Amino acid sequence: MKITDVEVIVLEQPQAYAAPKGSEESAGVKFLCLVRVSTDEGITGYADVETQPHVAKAAAEAPYSGSDAFEGLRNLAIGEDPFETEKLWDKMYRGSIYYGRRGVAIQVMSGIDIACWDIKGKATGLPVYKLLGAGYRDKVRAYASTLFRPTPDDMRRAVDYYLERGFTAIKFGWGVFGQDPKLDVQLVKAAREQAGPDVEVLVDAGWKVHRTPFEAVEMVRSIEEFEPYWVEDFMHPEDYAGYAYVSDRVETRVAAGEQEATIWGFERLIDEGKVDVAQPDISRCGGLTVAKKIADYAELRNRSVCPHAWLSDILTSASLHVNAYLKKSLFLEYNVSSGPLARDLCANPIELKDGYIDVPQGPGLGVEIDPAAIAKYRVA
Ligand code: MG
């Protein structure tokens, strides 16, 4: 089998990507990058990538230069066998090495890689987790992944809404968090009181706030009495020493990694950053090929992995397959944002049942892309 085309499709929803002003849900991403890989056997694979899709499209479509170092990713992939995901990954990494390695290039590579795993599954009739080599579970406990609300009352209303939907774990991220340390404590306290002792409350403190490691320790200690399951993403993503400083001084699990990429990056985050929970976004870390290596490396170092996923049911599905592969799975991150791009792209939407989501059993990622949704939201 040979790859015949790679398309980066830009989707746009009317709503802006903004933090909630009250108890309402965020609309989520305004633009979504959809990658479609076609083959000479008529099988197509899909991925959605959390990136800047207009830039991603340029990285895919850049013309051939003859350098084998500044090449567009589409040209690098065309003609290759989608079953040889390791070989293709290395070719794309080296072929984009002077403008790539991190950021948008690795994100487009991630999309192409995920789409190839989707193709491998569709061609063999097997779900991706079987191709990864393990299916330890057929359902994964989901956490509602949402943004901080600005007041304790709004936090309580939001918690009630997720409990009504059946979630047993809720993560609140950034928004107003980090602007007023006293308010931060009140918001987490309100979430814990409303959720009760049996529901996990997770805190994504957000990298947008400038914190020294000392200030980060103060922040984590200020909310530890409310027993957050983890505190996430609170240092600048390049500050591995800062993460290690905090991890050595707090009781709560430290989680990070949504901006990290490649196995080399995660090796540093785990060994130098001493994070307890590595959070590769499969659409940014280098795809399923790299996510598998991260899972294996974290196992070797006895740390947890919980994929980051805040996009459509396509990325959620990729995360479900990685969760199935992990010997120990913590949660599935489930994006509850209200915008249509999170919900409408798949004809067989993912459903929450008693706080869990089933690992898809169909071929490939196990999601059916709805062509009408692509046509409706496509802008480039
Ligand atoms: Mg996060």
Side-chain angles (χ1 to χ4, degrees):
M1 191 186 293
K2 294 274 185 278
I3 294 171
T4 53
D5 201 6
V6 172
E7 298 161 88
V8 169
I9 297 165
V10 183
L11 307 178
E12 180 180 356
Q13 68 183 21
Q15 299 87 340
Y17 185 176
K21 304 269 190 297
S23 61
E24 85 282 4
E25 198 67 71
S26 165
V29 297
K30 179 163 185 63
F31 297 105
L32 186 140
C33 174
L34 185 68
V35 174
R36 176 163 58 202
V37 174
S38 305
T39 64
D40 59 355
E41 294 187 19
I43 298 173
T44 53
Y46 283 92
D48 56 346
V49 180
E50 198 185 8
T51 184
Q52 208 304 330
H54 302 82
V55 183
K57 192 170 177 65
E61 295 177 358
Y64 181 65
S65 73
S67 66
D68 292 329
F70 297 99
E71 305 304 346
L73 292 157
R74 175 176 180 270
N75 277 328
L76 291 166
I78 286 177
E80 295 299 322
D81 184 341
F83 272 81
E84 297 187 43
T85 35
E86 291 282 349
K87 184 180 164 192
L88 173 61
W89 199 97
D90 186 64
K91 184 185 180 192
M92 292 193 290
Y93 192 81
R94 291 173 190 269
S96 60
I97 206 157
Y98 282 133
Y99 77 91
R101 298 180 59 227
R102 300 295 184 273
V104 74
I106 202 89
Q107 292 158 9
V108 175
M109 281 179 57
S110 301
I112 295 170
D113 180 81
I114 295 167
C116 285
W117 282 86
D118 191 30
I119 289 166
K120 291 199 277 187
K122 286 169 175 169
T124 56
L126 296 171
V128 161
Y129 72 83
K130 283 203 189 263
L131 302 175
L132 290 171
Y136 283 103
R137 56 197 61 79
D138 55 16
K139 62 180 182 176
V140 183
R141 186 183 182 187
Y143 71 77
S145 184
T146 187
L147 303 184
F148 268 99
R149 308 307 199 271
T151 69
D153 280 346
D154 290 322
M155 290 291 290
R156 288 190 195 96
R157 279 193 282 274
V159 167
D160 280 345
Y161 173 64
Y162 303 121
L163 297 182
E164 280 165 23
R165 289 178 66 179
F167 286 102
T168 62
I170 307 165
K171 183 175 87 184
F172 290 98
W174 44 279
V176 299
F177 194 91
Q179 293 168 24
D180 175 352
K182 289 199 176 84
L183 178 63
D184 293 346
V185 172
Q186 290 170 9
L187 296 178
V188 178
K189 180 171 188 272
R192 168 53 70 207
E193 286 174 354
Q194 201 69 11
D198 299 328
V199 169
E200 301 296 355
V201 173
L202 298 81
V203 172
D204 180 348
W207 49 268
K208 291 183 180 179
V209 179
H210 292 270
R211 294 183 182 94
T212 65
F214 187 92
E215 289 164 348
V217 169
E218 284 187 319
M219 178 274 293
V220 176
R221 286 183 179 164
S222 76
I223 57 174
E224 281 192 315
E225 67 177 293
F226 310 114
E227 300 186 335
Y229 187 88
W230 73 45
V231 182
E232 169 182 334
D233 209 17
F234 49 76
M235 298 306 298
H236 191 288
E238 314 303 338
D239 192 357
Y240 301 103
Y243 272 116
Y245 180 94
V246 179
S247 190
D248 283 340
R249 287 165 178 80
V250 301
E251 301 294 322
T252 308
R253 291 176 186 83
V254 169
E258 70 182 79
Q259 294 98 3
E260 194 58 84
T262 76
I263 186 59
W264 307 293
F266 275 89
E267 186 180 13
R268 290 192 66 191
L269 189 64
I270 289 169
D271 291 344
E272 294 175 35
K274 299 185 180 179
V275 301
D276 302 290
V277 183
Q279 297 176 286
D281 186 307
I282 301 165
S283 79
R284 288 201 292 255
C285 72
L288 286 156
T289 295
V290 172
K292 181 177 188 297
K293 293 181 205 285
I294 294 166
D296 295 344
Y297 188 74
E299 184 189 334
L300 191 69
R301 291 286 181 257
N302 203 15
R303 295 319 150 74
S304 301
V305 171
C306 187
H308 174 268
W310 216 68
L311 219 49
S312 80
D313 285 347
I314 311 171
L315 183 58
T316 303
S317 176
S319 295
L320 282 163
H321 289 287
V322 171
N323 264 294
Y325 173 75
L326 294 170
K327 289 195 177 64
K328 184 170 183 213
S329 156
L330 301 180
F331 301 103
L332 173 80
E333 176 164 15
Y334 185 73
N335 176 8
V336 291
S337 64
S338 60
L341 289 179
R343 293 285 88 79
D344 289 1
L345 297 190
C346 296
N348 54 338
I350 280 169
E351 288 174 28
L352 185 79
K353 292 177 208 156
D354 300 325
Y356 285 76
I357 294 179
D358 289 343
V359 176
Q361 299 298 321
L365 293 175
V367 289
E368 290 170 35
I369 311 302
D370 180 3
I374 297 177
K376 182 174 177 185
Y377 299 109
R378 185 169 188 170
V379 290

